Amino acid sequence: MNPKSYIDSHKQRMLDELFELLRIPSISADPAYNDAVAQCADHIATHMKDLGIQNVNIYPTKGHPIVYGEFLVDANLPTVLVYGHYDVQPADPIELWDNDPFDPVIKTTEIHPDGAIFARGACDDKGQMFMHLKAFEILQAEGGVPCNVKFMIEGEEEVGSSNLGPFLKEHKEMLACDTILISDTGMIANDTPSITTGLRGLSYVEVEVTGPNRDLHSGLYGGAVANPINILTQMVASLHNEKGEITVEGFYDGVEIVSTEERALMAKAPFSQEAFKKSIGISDVWGEEGYSTPERTSIRPTLDVNGIWGGYIGEGAKTVIPSKAYAKISMRLVPGQDPDAITEKFTQHFLNIAPSSVSVKVTPHHGGLPYVTHSSDPAYQSASAAYETTFGKPALPVRSGGSIPIVALFEQILGAKSILMGFGLDSDAIHSPNEHYGVFNYFKGIETIPHFYHNYTKQMK
Ligand code: BES
Ligand code: MN
Ligand code: MN
């Protein structure tokens, strides 16, 4: 099997096919795009059928459909379930894009001298998900598919995957597998491959602070009535202490402490604080005392306001004390923390710290459990050897700060571990304007994945 030579002779077509997929605006959060989401599912199913994948089916859900297909060679061989998502984040603020987010273009950047594909979903996750279909194509063309492969591509990852858990329970047998293969994360750098061994969990809440029963004249009432925005900002500010720790009562209860040895190992992964600061235009970092920047974004839990609003934000000035103020708050969780328990603790705490001059409502949104795996996992070994073949060096294990809530449910419901072979870079601007994915990364992924299948099949025999 020689994935590299196969890619060399099919490069342009493999790019064109990805471009077709990227042109479909499959934004799961916005009902205005429901038809595009359905069309995207169709497009993938058709492509799967064209590749010779069997039993391709589009499963409707209460939300967006799940595309499933399989290629079963021998019940005695291991089974790999590939998971990915075809839905994307909204493109706005659209005016900050240099090109139409749904009309991909290739441009070079400092980090991607061979060019990068600029489009919404290029990296998260269409580009990375599609690598798996192209890798499957290579397996077939270059000596055959060595084990059983199942594909499950969903359309609701960016909105919390709420219909996928029930789908797993309902189709446990169909989805039975030895490991789950996912490319929906990143790696350290193009010359430093890494495998993601951890994902953070998530608790997401919306808070509403109510003061007077209507907006008031800030001259007639100002000074005598609590302003919900003033109160909300004070409450939010108090959620961290001067050490950068979260003050929510019981927030750190049960948090698994990472050993000194493991932290020393983590510190070996290359990281430049200066480059980090420069890449996002900040002059200094911030965070929990006693932890490095990479630790703060991986092994430690966090709390962040994602949005805050209320009062008058139109043109000019309006002298008003608003009746209400709002904020959306996310908490990233680590092993030992349960999203429901954290949501409950946050709610209690937020109600407790509210002064009697306002009333407070907390509404939970979606959440998700954290996930960890270990470099001793057989799939990890097979993946690491695959990187060694294609990058000339083994991959480093890295715990990521991001979340893919379904991964913990895969373990609970299907009883299988996930191997997170992500090929994106942190600088690829996922969820942001000008999201892109390196041409190098796309083809390196397509080249590396077939080696994983062969290594894994051998290892499990
Ligand atoms: N693919 C990302 C998660 C990710 C990106 C993990 C990079 C690690 C490295 C995924 O699509 C995502 O955006 N997840 C959301 C959570 C979801 C519930 C909306 C997130 O992490 O905010
Ligand atoms: Mn993703
Ligand atoms: Mn995402």
Side-chain angles (χ1 to χ4, degrees):
M1 180 194 67
N2 189 341
K4 205 165 172 12
S5 72
Y6 185 91
I7 291 169
D8 282 342
S9 44
H10 295 88
K11 252 190 161 138
Q12 191 54 49
R13 176 179 52 81
M14 287 182 168
L15 276 175
D16 292 343
E17 287 172 354
L18 174 58
F19 273 39
E20 265 183 65
L21 187 61
L22 292 171
R23 286 196 189 98
I24 308 169
S26 51
I27 302 167
S28 51
D30 187 346
Y33 292 87
N34 281 356
D35 288 351
V37 175
Q39 188 204 334
C40 195
D42 270 345
H43 185 91
I44 293 161
T46 304
H47 196 76
M48 279 189 185
K49 283 180 201 156
D50 291 346
L51 287 172
I53 294 169
Q54 308 148 348
N55 300 320
V56 176
N57 223 322
I58 299 177
Y59 288 87
T61 72
K62 274 185 228 152
H64 300 303
I66 296 161
V67 185
Y68 177 82
E70 58 193 17
F71 194 83
L72 306 178
V73 287
D74 183 341
N76 295 312
L77 287 168
T79 301
V80 175
L81 172 65
V82 175
Y83 164 79
H85 63 94
Y86 67 83
D87 65 318
V88 300
Q89 286 274 328
D92 52 278
I94 196 110
E95 66 278 7
L96 295 183
W97 282 80
D98 296 328
N99 61 285
D100 179 340
F102 298 103
D103 192 6
V105 292
I106 293 180
K107 284 184 291 188
T108 59
T109 71
E110 208 177 303
I111 290 180
H112 295 294
D114 297 338
I117 304 151
F118 283 76
R120 171 58 85 230
C123 176
D124 184 12
D125 179 42
K126 285 174 173 171
Q128 296 211 67
M129 175 273 285
F130 199 65
M131 295 183 320
H132 287 275
L133 295 181
K134 295 300 97 183
F136 178 83
E137 179 186 322
I138 293 179
L139 288 175
Q140 277 194 316
E142 298 271 317
V145 183
C147 62
N148 305 306
V149 186
K150 297 175 175 179
F151 293 93
M152 180 176 68
I153 315 297
E154 72 151 319
E156 294 190 296
E157 198 280 338
E158 299 293 7
V159 288
S161 302
S162 52
N163 294 301
L164 193 55
F167 183 82
L168 298 182
K169 285 188 189 139
E170 229 172 278
H171 300 275
K172 237 173 122 163
E173 233 152 87
M174 177 177 89
L175 301 170
C177 60
D178 297 284
T179 194
I180 296 148
L181 176 58
I182 305 173
S183 296
D184 192 23
T185 54
M187 59 178 188
I188 296 173
N190 282 357
D191 61 358
T192 315
S194 57
I195 295 170
T196 303
T197 52
L199 293 163
R200 287 196 284 193
L202 187 67
S203 159
Y204 201 111
V205 297
E206 189 166 325
V207 300
E208 181 188 300
V209 175
T210 307
N213 59 7
R214 59 184 166 89
D215 288 5
L216 302 174
H217 189 289
S218 66
L220 296 180
Y221 290 91
V225 175
N227 179 323
I229 299 180
N230 296 16
I231 300 288
L232 173 60
T233 51
Q234 275 167 3
M235 289 170 74
V236 159
S238 79
L239 296 174
H240 289 93
N241 65 20
E242 65 294 341
K243 290 180 181 164
E245 295 161 349
I246 294 148
T247 57
V248 172
E249 195 67 31
F251 186 79
Y252 292 99
D253 289 358
V255 164
E256 276 176 29
I257 302 300
V258 178
S259 70
T260 323
E261 296 83 63
E262 200 178 336
R263 285 176 71 183
L265 209 67
M266 283 178 61
K268 290 215 171 97
F271 174 77
S272 157
Q273 186 100 314
E274 282 316 306
F276 176 79
K277 289 195 279 188
K278 193 169 157 240
S279 72
I280 50 172
I282 56 168
S283 44
D284 205 356
V285 297
W286 172 91
E288 189 184 359
E289 219 174 270
Y291 294 94
S292 68
T293 297
E295 288 175 339
R296 287 169 177 168
T297 58
S298 63
I299 61 168
R300 299 299 295 167
T302 60
L303 182 152
D304 277 291
V305 177
N306 296 252
I308 187 161
W309 70 101
Y312 181 69
I313 50 165
E315 284 294 315
K318 181 186 180 200
T319 49
V320 69
I321 294 174
S323 166
K324 284 177 187 293
Y326 306 83
K328 289 181 193 278
I329 297 173
S330 69
M331 290 161 275
R332 297 279 169 173
L333 312 178
V334 297
Q337 288 179 305
D338 175 74
D340 294 334
I342 289 291
T343 301
E344 184 52 34
K345 283 174 185 167
F346 176 90
T347 307
Q348 276 314 318
H349 180 86
F350 216 66
L351 295 173
N352 283 344
I353 62 172
S356 53
S357 50
V358 296
S359 63
V360 169
K361 198 169 104 191
V362 181
T363 310
H365 282 268
H366 55 242
L369 285 157
Y371 176 76
V372 272
T373 183
H374 299 284
S375 47
S376 55
D377 185 73
Y380 185 97
Q381 305 282 322
S382 308
S384 186
Y387 285 90
E388 196 151 5
T389 304
T390 56
F391 283 83
K393 42 176 133 169
L396 295 165
V398 171
R399 274 170 65 169
S400 171
S403 307
I404 310 176
I406 202 66
V407 173
L409 291 188
F410 283 152
E411 189 167 13
Q412 280 180 4
I413 300 169
L414 303 179
K417 281 283 194 185
S418 293
I419 176 79
L420 298 156
M421 294 176 71
F423 293 88
L425 300 181
D426 284 354
S427 55
D428 286 345
I430 62 171
H431 294 201
S432 300
N434 301 313
E435 173 179 356
H436 54 279
Y437 189 42
V439 172
F440 167 86
N441 305 68
Y442 178 56
F443 287 116
K444 212 55 173 177
I446 297 173
E447 185 191 340
T448 307
I449 294 161
H451 291 290
F452 169 80
Y453 283 103
H454 281 280
N455 296 345
Y456 188 69
T457 307
K458 252 182 253 150
Q459 185 160 2
M460 296 295 282
K461 256 185 201 160

